[in-house]
Amino acid sequence: MTEEIYTGTVSKIIYRNDDFLIARISGGNQESIIKGSILGVKHGEEITVYGNWEYHAKYGKQFAVTRWERPMPKTDEQAIAFLASPLIKGCGEKRARQIVAHLGTNALEIIADEGTSSLTPVKGIGRKKAQKITDSVVSTFEVQKIIGKLLQYGITAKMAMKLYKEYESNAVTVIEENPYKLTELNLVGFHKADEIARNMGITPLSGFRIDACVQFVLKEKCFQAGHCYLPEDKLIEETLRCLNHNTDEKVTENEVIRSISNLEEKRILNENGFVYPKSLYENEVNLSWKLTKMQGSTRGGAVSSVEKHIKNYQKRHNVVLAEKQREAIRKLFEENLLILTGNPGTGKTTVIQAMIEIYRKLYKKDDIALCAPTGRASRKLAEVTGHAASTIHRLIGLQPGEDPEYSEDNPLPDQLIIIDEMSMVDVRLASKLMAAIHKNAKVLFVGDADQLPSVNPGNVLKDMIEGGIPNVKLTEIFRQAQESQIVTNAHRINQGQSLVVDENKNDFYFIHKENPKMIAHMLVKSAVRFVELGYALEDILVLSPMKKGPIGTIALNEALQEALNPAGSSKKEWKKKNTIFRQGDKVIQTKNNYDKDVFNGDIGTIEDIKTIKSDDETIDVMICDFMGEEVEYTKDQLNELQLAYSITIHKSQGGQAPVVIIPVSTSHYIMLARNLIYTGMTRAEERMVFIGTKKAMHIAAGNNKVAQRNTKLTERITTSINNKSIAKPAR
């Protein structure tokens, strides 16, 4: 199809996001709608667009833009308007008129060709100001050319802008030589970079391709399975499989081995045949060093009055602590590091409350910090202890792409740090947190070692326990907890036993259904019934082991949305790919957003969808309520949200709800594991409902084969302690 050209003035911007624009453009005695990757265009600006006409059901005939450019001004007034626009930094209308008066209509071309020397003769423009104006003019037209050049390879305008920020005027040269640079900037995955490379004519035997594939396979396998490293032979095998799939030109094993050697110390680290992504190696080594150093420090020292304080605490609160609970309190004051574990109903919260109160009696001036890996978990911790708590990220001031505010060189001021839901903490986050803690502080790690490990690499809680970090496991189930079928059955599942359901109680149900579609149907009916009984949407957690299939979260979200929040004339909605976001929907935040102050795992409700008008620009926003706080989203930010009528059991960690409903079916055979079911059912506070087959539940209870994660944290801790070797690792 022959590419067409259309020049006109932007008369109205209908919609825009970071990488897409729909606008009305007037030119050549016609007015049309254009759409495409058009960045930085303002109302009233003249542009030339290249592409083809097509028909849209809603907007009618419109021009689909493949590339675009700003034409050079043809008159003095056009040149002045361009220089005075927001595109040019440090130049208002008055200065723009001075420049055009001095340089003429071709001012922009002269500035681009001659640079700052063309501007310094203009009155009031010094070297710094001249540099700023020159840079703006050059980049405006340079970016335009770069975007146009890269679009033909399947690189979007948004990606091209990021490449320009990284490589400036060399962006096209760099990418045409090595398109796999796109993966280094996390703009695309390896397979997309491979496709772009083929479009450019890059040979499948390119060293750039092999290097990129080694890093891709290593990172993918580690982050998918929670590993910190891969054995070298496994990495070679998987890399060859990826490189030689669907190509006639085969990469050899020796070429992959050479690539691993070339990448050594730069991107990866090979420790005696165990290959790490370099960052994960550093995280693991630094974490083991800090744990060993703190365990060997001297602030512990038994406090003689602790026993008296324990007795006084029991009198004040009219409680009798179990021996294991008292042991945990004593150990906190004897050790600088302590791990407190226990299954539901064993009184972890009671112990934490006692520890905080006794610590304050003994160390009145010390600061105490409470934290957890997710927003939901930290709010729960604050709720049950009565003390302020934050996410680990917020505590240490960690934001994406930046170094944390607190570190070894600038440690936290707190002398006691309590970390809840430690099983969720991966090796990277644990390393940064421990680096931020003063070497003489006390740290209490709290968790349930039988729950699922972290989503990201590492198995930190388990590794610390096996590495010999002091720990106390609470085992006694208290009388009140014994009355809960949720607690007693959680313990039974954890011990590989079958469920025992007392139908005279109303806190635990098992509804037998064989067919996955019938399971899904009954699950929806159950959720509707709980709403009819007075439970709010946020009170009900529907958890599934998987995303796909008739009882996966995707299908369940659609069915539950239709049953609990059907479409209506008064309800506004947006569609993003295959998902409808409707007013009244329950949604979950899927990544940390520090600007909005919402975090991965936070669950909220869509309150409204409305249009905000500013000048000639119209912006649609979705307003969500998270814990009473209103948060705005534009359409291009919907990738941060998912429907949350049903979420995966992994996503539920750190949170709880009055009602939990879980499907159990042999159709999810691969996910029928004891720790998965145990984690899901321990989210329930009041009522737990399983829907499915006893056979599936029996398989899950009997499957205690936790997938082995490749880590060396335990080995590093024990080696350091046994050798009394705590040499500081290189940073």
Side-chain angles (χ1 to χ4, degrees):
M1 189 183 293
T2 306
E3 188 177 62
E4 297 187 49
I5 306 172
Y6 182 30
T7 299
T9 302
V10 177
S11 56
K12 183 178 182 181
I13 293 175
I14 299 170
Y15 170 77
R16 80 154 83 235
N17 65 28
D18 288 347
D19 192 30
F20 193 76
L21 180 86
I22 301 175
R24 194 172 292 281
I25 186 171
S26 303
N29 296 320
Q30 64 175 321
E31 188 172 65
S32 304
I33 289 175
I34 61 169
K35 66 169 189 177
S37 295
I38 308 169
L39 299 179
V41 169
K42 303 293 181 184
H43 173 263
E45 188 175 351
E46 185 181 14
I47 60 173
T48 297
V49 292
Y50 300 79
N52 296 100
W53 294 98
E54 60 180 39
Y55 186 82
H56 188 275
K58 180 178 179 181
Y59 294 111
K61 188 180 179 184
Q62 58 184 18
F63 196 81
V65 178
T66 54
R67 59 191 178 93
W68 67 281
E69 61 187 38
R70 293 181 176 92
M72 282 288 183
K74 297 181 179 65
T75 67
D76 284 3
E77 285 305 313
Q78 286 178 348
I80 291 165
F82 190 95
L83 284 166
S85 75
L87 294 166
I88 309 302
K89 307 300 180 190
C91 188
E93 185 177 347
K94 182 180 177 182
R95 186 158 281 134
R97 289 191 178 279
Q98 290 176 310
I99 293 170
V100 173
H102 179 73
L103 297 176
T105 304
N106 296 331
L108 295 172
E109 293 172 90
I110 293 169
I111 293 168
D113 290 341
E114 299 179 15
T116 56
S117 61
S118 66
L119 290 171
T120 47
V122 179
K123 186 179 178 182
I125 298 182
R127 184 160 295 280
K128 278 189 177 181
K129 188 71 71 176
Q131 190 65 57
K132 190 179 279 190
I133 294 170
T134 300
D135 289 346
S136 294
V137 170
V138 170
S139 66
T140 296
F141 291 101
E142 207 165 48
V143 168
Q144 191 171 288
K145 290 176 184 175
I146 287 169
I147 290 174
K149 184 73 174 173
L150 294 178
L151 280 173
Q152 65 181 312
Y153 298 126
I155 296 171
T156 67
K158 188 175 180 181
M159 287 157 56
M161 286 291 290
K162 289 182 179 177
L163 290 168
Y164 178 75
K165 284 181 182 177
E166 183 72 19
Y167 302 117
E168 297 181 334
S169 59
N170 296 319
V172 173
T173 304
V174 168
I175 296 306
E176 286 184 332
E177 179 189 9
N178 179 10
Y180 298 96
K181 287 282 186 184
L182 291 163
T183 64
E184 292 180 19
L185 298 176
N186 294 318
L187 297 177
V188 297
F190 173 77
H191 296 299
K192 180 64 179 177
D194 222 20
E195 180 187 317
I196 291 169
R198 283 195 299 273
N199 292 341
M200 291 180 171
I202 302 290
T203 170
L205 303 180
S206 161
F208 293 133
R209 179 173 184 254
I210 300 169
D211 286 354
C213 192
V214 166
Q215 294 173 80
F216 162 72
V217 169
L218 180 60
K219 186 175 179 181
E220 184 182 61
K221 295 298 178 185
C222 283
F223 278 83
Q224 279 185 353
H227 299 314
C228 289
Y229 68 82
L230 283 185
E232 186 175 14
D233 57 352
K234 181 71 173 175
L235 175 59
I236 293 168
E237 177 191 334
E238 293 292 340
T239 302
L240 285 170
R241 183 179 290 119
C242 182
L243 286 169
N244 293 333
H245 173 71
N246 220 9
T247 178
D248 294 330
E249 297 180 84
K250 304 297 183 185
V251 176
T252 66
E253 182 176 323
N254 284 337
E255 286 172 311
V256 175
I257 293 171
R258 187 159 54 246
S259 174
I260 292 172
S261 177
N262 290 339
L263 291 167
E264 175 81 21
E265 297 292 345
K266 300 171 192 168
R267 302 274 177 179
I268 66 178
L269 204 139
N270 190 344
E271 186 181 58
N272 303 319
F274 302 111
V275 186
Y276 287 77
K278 191 176 180 184
S279 62
L280 291 182
Y281 176 82
E282 291 170 348
N283 292 151
E284 190 176 88
V285 169
N286 290 337
L287 177 57
S288 65
W289 174 80
K290 187 61 177 282
L291 290 169
T292 306
K293 181 179 177 64
M294 288 188 70
Q295 193 175 350
S297 59
T298 56
R299 189 177 183 248
V303 179
S304 57
S305 61
V306 168
E307 203 63 47
K308 180 183 76 176
H309 281 287
I310 292 173
K311 290 176 182 176
N312 290 340
Y313 178 86
Q314 292 179 118
K315 286 179 184 177
R316 279 195 305 275
H317 295 275
N318 194 27
V319 296
V320 177
L321 298 172
E323 173 50 37
K324 278 287 185 183
Q325 292 178 313
R326 296 196 298 274
E327 179 190 338
I329 296 169
R330 285 192 292 268
K331 268 193 174 292
L332 178 73
F333 294 96
E334 293 168 0
E335 307 283 355
N336 272 2
L337 300 178
L338 177 65
I339 301 170
L340 176 67
T341 64
N343 301 138
T346 55
K348 292 196 298 290
T349 300
T350 300
V351 176
I352 296 169
Q353 290 169 330
M355 286 173 167
I356 293 171
E357 189 170 315
I358 294 171
Y359 188 92
R360 290 204 184 279
K361 295 279 184 188
L362 288 166
Y363 303 105
K364 293 180 173 61
K365 295 182 180 179
D366 282 8
D367 292 326
I368 302 174
L370 278 68
C371 62
T374 67
R376 272 187 301 159
S378 66
R379 283 191 290 272
K380 185 69 179 175
L381 180 61
E383 180 186 317
V384 299
T385 61
H387 295 270
S390 71
T391 62
I392 295 172
H393 290 78
R394 174 148 290 180
L395 178 67
I396 63 175
L398 178 60
Q399 296 196 29
E402 297 179 16
D403 291 329
E405 178 185 353
Y406 293 98
S407 62
E408 186 186 346
D409 298 325
N410 179 36
L412 289 161
D414 310 284
Q415 286 80 34
L416 172 62
I417 292 91
I418 298 173
I419 309 154
D420 198 14
E421 297 289 355
M422 192 62 199
S423 63
M424 296 175 66
V425 180
D426 59 80
V427 70
R428 172 185 171 272
L429 187 56
S431 175
K432 291 189 180 299
L433 171 60
M434 292 307 297
I437 294 173
H438 195 280
K439 63 181 180 180
N440 291 328
K442 286 184 179 294
V443 185
L444 176 68
F445 305 99
V446 184
D448 185 340
D450 296 318
Q451 286 188 21
L452 293 168
S454 58
V455 174
N456 288 323
N459 203 350
V460 176
L461 180 61
K462 176 177 174 287
D463 287 350
M464 288 196 304
I465 293 170
E466 293 181 356
I469 301 297
N471 72 90
V472 176
K473 181 173 183 178
L474 304 179
T475 54
E476 182 179 337
I477 306 174
F478 290 91
R479 185 178 300 170
Q480 185 178 355
Q482 287 175 357
E483 295 174 2
S484 165
Q485 291 191 93
I486 298 169
V487 171
T488 55
N489 276 314
H491 282 265
R492 290 185 66 82
I493 287 292
N494 203 33
Q495 292 160 13
Q497 300 172 357
S498 58
L499 300 174
V500 174
V501 181
D502 184 347
E503 295 180 359
N504 293 317
K505 294 184 177 181
N506 65 354
D507 64 340
F508 202 98
Y509 306 87
F510 194 103
I511 302 172
H512 184 83
K513 294 291 175 186
E514 289 277 351
N515 184 284
K517 289 186 178 178
M518 285 305 299
I519 293 172
H521 176 71
M522 181 55 68
L523 190 148
V524 173
K525 283 185 68 176
S526 298
V528 170
R529 180 59 182 150
F530 280 118
V531 170
E532 291 170 350
L533 289 171
Y535 286 98
L537 284 180
E538 57 265 29
D539 295 333
I540 305 168
L541 265 182
V542 176
L543 306 178
S544 178
M546 299 182 77
K547 293 180 180 179
K548 296 181 179 178
I551 50 175
T553 58
I554 296 170
L556 289 176
N557 267 314
E558 290 180 10
L560 288 162
Q561 181 189 48
E562 182 60 32
L564 298 171
N565 188 33
S569 58
S570 63
K571 293 179 186 175
K572 303 166 191 171
E573 59 183 48
W574 277 351
K575 186 171 183 179
K576 177 80 170 182
K577 293 183 179 176
N578 295 322
T579 303
I580 293 172
F581 291 93
R582 183 175 297 141
Q583 202 171 353
D585 276 342
K586 185 179 177 183
V587 290
I588 185 170
Q589 178 77 13
T590 60
K591 59 179 69 174
N592 291 339
N593 189 316
Y594 297 88
D595 295 330
K596 297 183 187 297
D597 202 27
V598 287
F599 301 92
N600 187 12
D602 284 352
I603 292 177
T605 306
I606 300 174
E607 293 292 304
D608 195 9
I609 296 172
K610 62 183 182 181
T611 301
I612 298 175
K613 293 186 178 179
S614 173
D615 298 326
D616 293 294
E617 196 165 340
T618 300
I619 301 173
D620 293 328
V621 296
M622 174 188 289
I623 299 171
C624 298
D625 182 295
F626 287 93
M627 300 293 290
E629 297 293 327
E630 288 191 348
V631 181
E632 287 186 1
Y633 293 82
T634 54
K635 279 188 177 177
D636 59 300
Q637 294 170 332
L638 287 185
N639 62 331
E640 295 186 16
L641 293 175
Q642 291 176 0
L643 291 178
Y645 294 100
S646 176
I647 61 175
T648 62
I649 294 174
H650 281 90
K651 277 283 185 189
S652 74
Q653 282 182 275
Q656 286 185 293
V659 177
V660 171
I661 309 172
I662 300 177
V664 279
S665 166
T666 50
S667 66
H668 282 171
Y669 187 85
I670 193 171
M671 298 298 285
L672 291 176
R674 184 185 300 176
N675 63 348
L676 193 77
I677 296 298
Y678 171 79
T679 299
M681 66 191 299
T682 52
R683 303 306 95 204
E685 295 173 320
E686 297 175 12
R687 297 186 177 187
M688 176 69 237
V689 182
F690 282 108
I691 304 174
T693 67
K694 294 284 179 68
K695 179 183 178 182
M697 183 61 81
H698 179 74
I699 293 169
N703 179 13
N704 198 31
K705 294 178 182 176
V706 179
Q708 185 64 40
R709 292 190 168 195
N710 298 337
T711 76
K712 285 184 170 290
L713 182 60
T714 294
E715 182 183 321
R716 294 185 198 283
I717 295 170
T718 52
T719 301
S720 296
I721 292 172
N722 293 338
N723 296 340
K724 294 184 172 54
S725 166
I726 52 172
K728 187 174 180 180
R731 284 197 292 168

